[in-house]
Amino acid sequence: MTASASEWQFVAKPRKSRRFAFGVATLFVVVHVTFAILLRGDSTGVYFRFADQVAFAGIGFLLASGVLLLTRPRVQIGPRGIAVRNVLGERIVDWDLYEGLSFPEGAAWARIELPDDEYIAVMAIQSNDGEYAVDAVRRFRELVSEYAPT
């Protein structure tokens, strides 16, 4: 289902949410590993074993992994179509199914309009990215005019 990078002319990824996700993931790991190391103290009357420390650090890594899923969104455009990868899945939209790109007012991200009033969220183009999102939509529409059937 995925294609080689050479067949895509445009790739967009969110910026602010990626930086935020990396920061939060790092914070989760640092806090959980730090507390796991400090858990050996027995001044509270509770005894933590090595397995408890490992589990506490492991929870931090699991939480960080979950947050890092927010770094996955990406949209790619090329002659083959539009590849949209969101948090959990990826879908390639052929040009004959594409009906437009919209950015509804108040929406967090753009969406690709499909036949029968369906759409696919494009989490890679987010409103909180400001000018970067505007540039991505412009470039997206330039390539659409080149590839999409009229």
Side-chain angles (χ1 to χ4, degrees):
M1 180 166 209
T2 59
S4 67
S6 63
E7 72 179 278
W8 303 111
Q9 288 188 334
F10 173 70
V11 177
K13 297 178 181 182
R15 288 190 172 172
K16 286 185 180 177
S17 64
R18 286 173 59 90
R19 281 186 253 140
F20 180 75
F22 284 126
V24 170
T26 301
L27 182 67
F28 276 145
V29 170
V30 168
V31 167
H32 279 79
V33 168
T34 301
F35 283 137
I37 292 169
L38 297 176
L39 277 179
R40 282 306 264 180
D42 59 345
S43 61
T44 62
V46 178
Y47 294 99
F48 291 99
R49 295 187 175 93
F50 180 72
D52 300 319
Q53 291 176 293
V54 171
F56 202 81
I59 289 171
F61 283 103
L62 284 174
L63 291 172
S65 299
V67 169
L68 288 176
L69 286 174
L70 297 175
T71 65
R72 290 197 70 222
R74 175 185 72 198
V75 63
Q76 299 173 308
I77 303 171
R80 182 175 173 195
I82 306 165
V84 178
R85 182 174 74 185
N86 287 326
V87 174
L88 295 177
E90 183 171 4
R91 181 170 173 192
I92 296 178
V93 178
D94 294 324
W95 287 115
D96 58 342
L97 292 176
Y98 173 82
E99 289 192 354
L101 176 74
S102 65
F103 214 127
E105 188 164 339
W109 44 74
R111 64 187 197 183
I112 295 173
E113 304 294 336
L114 300 173
D116 300 325
D117 293 327
E118 292 185 35
Y119 65 89
I120 298 174
V122 182
M123 295 177 72
I125 303 175
Q126 298 185 359
S127 61
N128 66 359
D129 282 332
E131 193 61 36
Y132 175 77
V134 172
D135 293 339
V137 169
R138 282 189 189 127
R139 181 70 177 132
F140 188 103
R141 290 187 173 147
E142 286 172 12
L143 289 171
V144 164
S145 66
E146 183 178 334
Y147 292 119
T150 54

